[in-house]
C-alpha cells in the first residue's frame, strides 16, 4: 500500500486555495493512553485541524520542551511502542481521513529498520514523517524508502539555517518544510516574532515547498499572526497542556476540540 503523501500535498493546496493557512496539530502517541491518544487526534480534527502530527515518544527529545516531555514520560511509562504509534496513525486516519504524519527522532526508526518502518507507516495510511534530528546529508537511505512508499519527508529548518542549507532541504524534502520559529525547544510563548517571518521568506525563496511554522504558537491570535505569512501553523504544546491540565480524559478531549476550534478561526482570519 502506498502512503498518503499526495493527500498531504492536496490538503495544503486546498487550504491555500481557500486563502488560509493549514492548521497542523501535534499530539504525542500513547498519551494519556494509546486509546486516549487516538481519541485526541479525532477531537483535534473534529475541532478544525487539517493535518495531524503524531509524536513518537522518545527518552531524549532534544527539540521538545517540558510540556511535551511530560506527556512523553507518561506514554513511555505506559509502555508505548512503535506498533502503538502505527495503530494510532491507522485508526485516526480511518476515522478522520486527514493526512497524518509521524514526528520522530531518528534513533527509534534506525533501530526498528528503515524499510520496515516506512512500509508499515504507509500500510497504516500515514502521509509521511518529520525527522527533526536527521541531517539532510545523511538522509539518502530514509528518502529512498520514503519515496518507494509515497511518504513525505519533512525536514526542520531554524532561523540559524543558511540559505545554502535551505536550498538543499527544500530540494530533498517533500510535503512541506517545518520552520522552527525560534531557536530552542518547543513550548508556548507570548509572541511568535519577526524571526519566523524572515525564515519563511528565505525558505520560500529557496524552493517550491509550502512552509509551516511551529514552536511557540498557542493562541488564536498567534495562529492569526503566523497564518499571515506561513502556509501552515503547527501547534503542539498548547494541546498537550490542555490535556495535562484537564481533570479527566473526557474533559481533556473536549479541551483539545475547543482549542482546535479557536486556532482554526485564527488561521482563517489572517490579514483581518
Amino acid at each position: 500500500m502506498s502512503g498518503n503523501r499526495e493527500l498531504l500535498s492536496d490538503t495544503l493546496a486546498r487550504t491555500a486555495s481557500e486563502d488560509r493557512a493549514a492548521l497542523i496539530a501535534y499530539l504525542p502517541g500513547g498519551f494519556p493512553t494509546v486509546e486516549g491518544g487516538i481519541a485526541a487526534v479525532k477531537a483535534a480534527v473534529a475541532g478544525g485541524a487539517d493535518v495531524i502530527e503524531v509524536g513518537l515518544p522518545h527518552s531524549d527529545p532534544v527539540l521538545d520542551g517540558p510540556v511535551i516531555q511530560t506527556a512523553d514520560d507518561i506514554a513511555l511509562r505506559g509502555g508505548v511502542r512503535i506498533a502503538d504509534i502505527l495503530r494510532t496513525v491507522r485508526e485516526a486516519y480511518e476515522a478522520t481521513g486527514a493526512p497524518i504524519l509521524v514526528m520522530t527522532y531518528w534513533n527509534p526508526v534506525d533501530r526498528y529498520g528503515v524499510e520496515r518502518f516506512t512500509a508499515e507507516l504507509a500500510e497504516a495510511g500515514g502521509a509521511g514523517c518529520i525527522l527533526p534530528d536527521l541531517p539532510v546529508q545523511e538522509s539518502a537511505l530514509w528518502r529512498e524508502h520514503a519515496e518507494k512508499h509515497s511518504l513525505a519527508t519533512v525536514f526542520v529548518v531554524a532561523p540559524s539555517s543558511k540559505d545554502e542549507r535551505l536550498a538543499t532541504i527544500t530540494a530533498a524534502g517533500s510535503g512541506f518544510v517545518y520552520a522552527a520559529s525560534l531557536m530552542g525547544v518547543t513550548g508556548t510563548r507570548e509572541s511568535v516574532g519577526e524571526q519566523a517571518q524572515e525564515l519563511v521568506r528565505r525558505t520560500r525563496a529557496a524552493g517550491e515547498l509550502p512552509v509551516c511554522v511551529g514552536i511557540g504558537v498557542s493562541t488564536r491570535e498567534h495562529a492569526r499572526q503566523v497564518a499571515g505569512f506561513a502556509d501552515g501553523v503547527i501547534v503542539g504544546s498548547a494541546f498537550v497542556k490542555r490535556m495535562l491540565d484537564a481533570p479527566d480524559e473526557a474533559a481533556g478531549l473536549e479541551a483539545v476540540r475547543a482549542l482546535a476550534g479557536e486556532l482554526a478561526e485564527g488561521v482563517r482570519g489572517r490579514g483581518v
Side-chain angles (χ1 to χ4, degrees):
M1 179 175 167
S2 290
N4 271 312
R5 180 176 62 191
E6 195 170 316
L7 175 63
L8 175 63
S9 296
D10 288 350
T11 299
L12 292 170
R14 175 178 57 78
T15 58
S17 75
E18 294 170 2
D19 192 32
R20 68 176 179 89
L23 175 59
I24 303 174
Y26 169 95
L27 293 154
F31 168 74
T33 61
V34 176
E35 289 77 13
I38 294 166
V41 172
K42 294 178 186 176
V45 175
D50 300 292
V51 178
I52 297 291
E53 299 175 9
V54 173
L56 196 163
H58 189 48
S59 54
D60 185 25
V62 293
L63 189 73
D64 295 319
V67 171
I68 291 173
Q69 283 188 30
T70 299
D72 281 1
D73 287 345
I74 290 167
L76 290 166
R77 284 203 303 272
V80 72
R81 298 285 180 268
I82 285 179
D84 299 312
I85 302 304
L86 295 167
R87 178 188 156 201
T88 300
V89 171
R90 175 181 289 103
E91 293 190 18
Y93 170 63
E94 288 173 353
T96 66
I100 302 182
L101 300 131
V102 170
M103 186 164 186
T104 177
Y105 296 96
W106 178 244
N107 194 36
V109 175
D110 193 36
R111 285 208 313 267
Y112 196 75
V114 176
E115 168 60 27
R116 179 184 175 198
F117 184 84
T118 51
E120 291 181 9
L121 179 57
E123 192 274 328
C129 240
I130 302 166
L131 298 153
D133 65 339
L134 177 64
V136 65
Q137 63 271 22
E138 295 172 23
S139 67
L141 177 67
W142 164 266
R143 287 187 287 124
E144 175 193 334
H145 289 292
E147 185 64 36
K148 184 166 130 186
H149 294 290
S150 296
L151 295 169
T153 299
V154 178
F155 290 108
V156 178
V157 298
S160 58
S161 301
K162 302 283 188 283
D163 289 349
E164 184 183 0
R165 176 172 164 74
L166 295 178
T168 303
I169 282 175
T170 52
S174 52
F176 63 90
V177 177
Y178 185 129
S181 68
L182 299 142
M183 302 300 292
V185 298
T186 59
T188 61
R189 290 185 172 71
E190 292 305 309
S191 66
V192 184
E194 291 173 14
Q195 266 193 325
Q197 190 163 354
E198 176 62 11
L199 177 57
V200 169
R201 186 196 66 73
R202 290 172 52 226
T203 307
R204 279 190 178 141
E208 301 294 319
L209 290 177
V211 185
C212 303
V213 170
I215 303 187
V217 181
S218 62
T219 66
R220 181 182 330 190
E221 179 53 34
H222 283 166
R224 189 194 65 76
Q225 181 189 349
V226 174
F229 59 80
D231 300 295
V233 179
I234 303 168
V235 181
S237 295
F239 281 112
V240 176
K241 187 170 190 316
R242 294 259 181 132
M243 292 174 74
L244 286 168
D245 290 347
D248 55 50
E249 191 173 304
L253 295 174
E254 177 52 33
V256 166
R257 192 198 61 73
L259 178 59
E262 293 166 25
L263 294 165
E265 288 176 9
V267 299
R268 285 165 173 80
R270 67 180 183 187
V272 174

